[in-house]
Amino acid sequence: MFFKKKKPETPDSKNEKNFDDKELIPVYKDEFITIMKERLHHSADLNIKELSNGFTLIFLDTLTDKKMLNENVLARLEDAEPNPSEAFKHITVSGTSKQKYVEDVINSVLHGAVAVHSPGHPVIISAVVATQENRSLTRPENESQVLGPQIAFNESLATNISLIRRYLTNPNLCNESYSVGKQTKSAISLLYMKGIADDDMIDRMRERIKSIEVDGILDSSIFVQLIEDNSFAIFPQMLLTERPDRACAWLLNGKMIVLVDGSVQVIGAPQTFIEFFQSMEDQSVRWQIATFLRVLRVFSMIVSIFFTAIYVAALTFHYEIIPQTLLIPLGESRSRVPFPPIIEALLLETMIELLREAGARLPTKVGQTMGIVGGIVVGTAAVDAGFTSNILIIIIAVSALASFTTPNYMMGNVIRVLRFPLIILAGLWGFYGLMVGFCFLLIHLLRLSSLDTPFLAPFYPPRFEDWRDSIIRLPIGWTNKRPLQTRPLDRIKYAERKTKE
């Protein structure tokens, strides 16, 4: 009743097909052409060219470089004998291979290759003649800095890997290629330094990449959400960068990077919470200035998250913490405001987020003008109309300004969102609610991990040796060891004594 007996599949059945078995290349030309037309659904850009000596070429016009096809394939095959061995010898394209399955041939054609069929042979010669339409290399837009290299990744996977290899001219730089996505079959590359990166961590990343089953991967920001440890966490557990120098620094520290074809962002793993507040420029300036900047960023994060919530808690429940000299002007500024502090704060925070989102979606010049003029006009009008107080305008502006000091865009968005639940908790229960929210965030961070490594390292678990390059940054001579978080096979980067001398 609950189990239905399956009918045995007969070998003569034409309606049912075992998709685990790949289909072999037919030896007859007409049959091969028919199969390719059916599999590619008679696409308008499908081009079939039959040569006088018996060769048949199948390719997609929109994906192939016509000059390379004519010079390196067509001109070379005109005088060749019609068999796969002769075709393989005559074609002068580096990406040339032999294939015997229809699925592999279709996949290569969809990636810009030309399939060469020889009559009477069940083997296809595939030659990659794809167009190289790449955007020129530009300056980093989201991670701009004054000192250091001024170059960023682009959408070409080959170009991005070449940028990394120019920095790391080392034979131990390993590159593993994967194909992810049932529909897109996106090319994914995993890079790491052999002899430095931990083998268990590499195996863990390999398993996560291979276990992904989705229709397609269009960007690394989508891919990172599929391989991170906790997809329900609001905090990102892996970093994205558009800077080749930062990606190479991760590799030298025993980390791994993942590149997605068509994406300008490179994924680095594993990462810690404090690394989201570090910049590559910190390595280019003096260690005292780098330490000051890192402390300033962490302080700005705390101000951005808690400043407005403290204002709401103080005015709602805890007037006693406000100095008397400030209490009188504060009361005068709120005398015309008809809303309680929680509604007033939420209203202004929402208004700031609306202005920020509108400025980001508009063209660059219009967006900048919109943000500046909109903030001035709306803020002044809100105070004159009695919807809010002058002091809250200042507090909201400082909180919004502090959120921009975070050098990572993803973490900056997290800070923007966290302000709202903390304001609500402060408006409901005062400092007790703030403490509940803070404890919840701390416990959440303690439970997070990045590729099964502690997210709050080196503070929890405490690894005092790694504190040399965390919130503070000691001189270069003191940071000669790779972080323990990545469990590197070789911890020493350079001799500490010689560097100090």
Side-chain angles (χ1 to χ4, degrees):
M1 178 178 177
F2 295 100
F3 300 96
K4 189 174 181 180
K5 189 175 181 180
K6 187 178 179 182
K7 292 176 65 176
E9 186 176 304
T10 59
D12 296 333
S13 177
K14 295 183 179 180
N15 296 327
E16 298 182 4
K17 178 184 177 182
N18 184 8
F19 289 97
D20 294 333
D21 298 331
K22 290 186 176 181
E23 185 178 359
L24 294 172
I25 299 293
V27 296
Y28 299 107
K29 175 185 66 176
D30 295 338
E31 187 177 352
F32 175 68
I33 293 175
T34 302
I35 290 176
M36 294 296 290
K37 286 183 177 180
E38 290 178 353
R39 292 296 184 88
L40 295 173
H41 303 286
H42 300 272
S43 297
D45 56 345
L46 180 64
N47 197 325
I48 300 173
K49 191 172 184 63
E50 300 182 32
L51 303 184
S52 58
N53 54 0
F55 286 116
T56 302
L57 279 66
I58 297 181
F59 55 93
L60 292 172
D61 281 329
T62 51
L63 296 178
T64 54
D65 186 345
K66 302 302 182 297
K67 183 178 179 181
M68 186 185 299
L69 176 66
N70 293 329
E71 294 180 357
N72 300 332
V73 180
L74 285 174
R76 300 285 179 174
L77 292 178
E78 288 179 352
D79 301 328
E81 294 293 329
N83 62 75
S85 299
E86 288 295 318
F88 192 83
K89 292 178 182 178
H90 283 73
I91 294 176
T92 58
V93 176
S94 58
T96 305
S97 60
K98 295 182 180 181
Q99 296 171 343
K100 59 180 181 179
Y101 298 112
V102 174
E103 287 79 2
D104 296 336
V105 174
I106 292 175
N107 186 49
S108 63
V109 169
L110 290 173
H111 282 83
V114 55
V116 182
H117 182 269
S118 305
H121 296 86
V123 177
I124 288 294
I125 302 300
S126 174
V128 179
V129 289
T131 54
Q132 302 294 328
E133 297 176 356
N134 299 330
R135 182 170 58 92
S136 60
L137 298 175
T138 58
R139 298 167 62 96
E141 296 184 3
N142 299 320
E143 296 178 78
S144 59
Q145 60 187 40
V146 178
L147 302 177
Q150 304 295 327
I151 191 171
F153 292 117
N154 65 9
E155 289 80 4
S156 172
L157 180 62
T159 303
N160 294 341
I161 295 176
S162 69
L163 287 174
I164 295 174
R165 287 200 176 274
R166 289 177 186 175
Y167 279 94
L168 299 177
T169 55
N170 193 319
N172 292 327
L173 177 60
C174 300
N175 177 16
E176 298 182 5
S177 181
Y178 301 90
S179 180
V180 179
K182 298 177 183 176
Q183 309 297 336
T184 61
K185 299 188 185 304
S186 303
I188 308 291
S189 288
L190 171 64
L191 273 66
Y192 58 90
M193 294 294 292
K194 190 71 174 177
I196 298 179
D198 181 56
D199 294 331
D200 293 336
M201 198 171 295
I202 297 171
D203 292 337
R204 202 174 300 128
M205 179 62 80
R206 288 194 191 110
E207 292 174 1
R208 295 191 183 185
I209 295 176
K210 293 177 182 178
S211 63
I212 294 176
E213 294 184 2
V214 293
D215 281 346
I217 301 293
L218 302 179
D219 189 71
S220 56
S221 58
I222 300 173
F223 185 73
V224 73
Q225 299 178 55
L226 299 172
I227 61 175
E228 61 186 3
D229 294 32
N230 186 353
S231 58
F232 291 97
I234 189 173
F235 292 96
Q237 296 117 62
M238 296 182 186
L239 260 170
L240 295 174
T241 185
E242 59 179 349
R243 300 188 62 90
D245 55 336
R246 192 174 195 185
C248 294
W250 290 340
L251 290 171
L252 292 175
N253 279 330
K255 301 178 187 291
M256 295 165 291
I257 63 172
V258 180
L259 297 90
V260 179
D261 192 18
S263 176
V264 299
Q265 301 281 345
V266 170
I267 305 168
Q271 303 291 351
T272 60
F273 177 73
I274 197 62
E275 287 182 271
F276 286 86
F277 302 93
Q278 296 176 357
S279 171
M280 275 305 296
E281 198 170 20
D282 298 343
Q283 305 296 328
S284 303
V285 299
R286 305 295 299 173
W287 68 272
Q288 299 93 335
I289 300 173
T291 300
F292 170 76
L293 293 175
R294 289 183 180 182
V295 172
L296 179 65
R297 293 179 196 131
V298 175
F299 175 74
S300 300
M301 174 201 65
I302 297 172
V303 168
S304 181
I305 293 176
F306 293 100
F307 201 13
T308 309
I310 291 174
Y311 168 86
V312 173
L315 287 187
T316 307
F317 297 99
H318 309 284
Y319 279 102
E320 64 276 4
I321 71 167
I322 304 175
Q324 191 166 358
T325 54
L326 182 61
L327 192 60
I328 295 175
L330 187 61
E332 290 177 354
S333 66
R334 292 207 73 254
S335 59
R336 296 178 55 201
V337 179
F339 307 112
I342 181 175
I343 301 298
E344 181 189 9
L346 289 175
L347 183 65
L348 271 184
E349 286 285 1
T350 304
M351 197 177 301
I352 289 291
E353 294 303 324
L354 287 174
L355 288 171
R356 184 184 298 185
E357 191 67 16
R361 299 292 168 254
L362 289 172
T364 305
K365 295 181 180 179
V366 179
Q368 293 176 354
T369 306
M370 174 70 182
I372 297 172
V373 176
I376 295 173
V377 172
V378 173
T380 305
V383 173
D384 293 341
F387 281 98
T388 183
S389 62
N390 290 322
I391 294 179
L392 184 59
I393 288 286
I394 298 173
I395 291 175
I396 295 292
V398 170
S399 299
L401 189 63
S403 67
F404 289 117
T405 61
T406 304
N408 183 265
Y409 176 75
M410 295 187 297
M411 186 60 71
N413 287 337
V414 172
I415 293 172
R416 290 166 55 186
V417 173
L418 287 178
R419 292 205 295 262
F420 288 92
L422 288 175
I423 290 173
I424 295 173
L425 289 173
L428 294 178
W429 298 297
F431 284 150
Y432 299 103
L434 265 181
M435 186 55 63
V436 170
F438 172 74
C439 292
F440 178 81
L441 286 177
L442 183 60
I443 294 170
H444 179 61
L445 287 171
L446 289 171
R447 290 173 57 88
L448 282 181
S449 61
S450 177
L451 209 64
D452 293 342
T453 61
F455 190 56
L456 279 186
F459 306 106
Y460 177 82
R463 293 163 178 167
F464 300 105
E465 199 171 6
D466 290 349
W467 286 20
R468 299 178 180 183
D469 192 12
S470 55
I471 292 182
I472 62 173
R473 203 219 86 189
L474 295 184
I476 297 294
W478 293 79
T479 58
N480 68 314
K481 293 183 179 180
R482 297 182 175 91
L484 286 168
Q485 179 219 12
T486 58
R487 296 189 288 273
L489 301 180
D490 181 12
R491 280 213 67 202
I492 306 300
K493 289 194 287 187
Y494 44 83
E496 180 181 9
R497 180 181 60 82
K498 293 182 179 179
T499 306
K500 289 181 178 179
E501 291 177 357

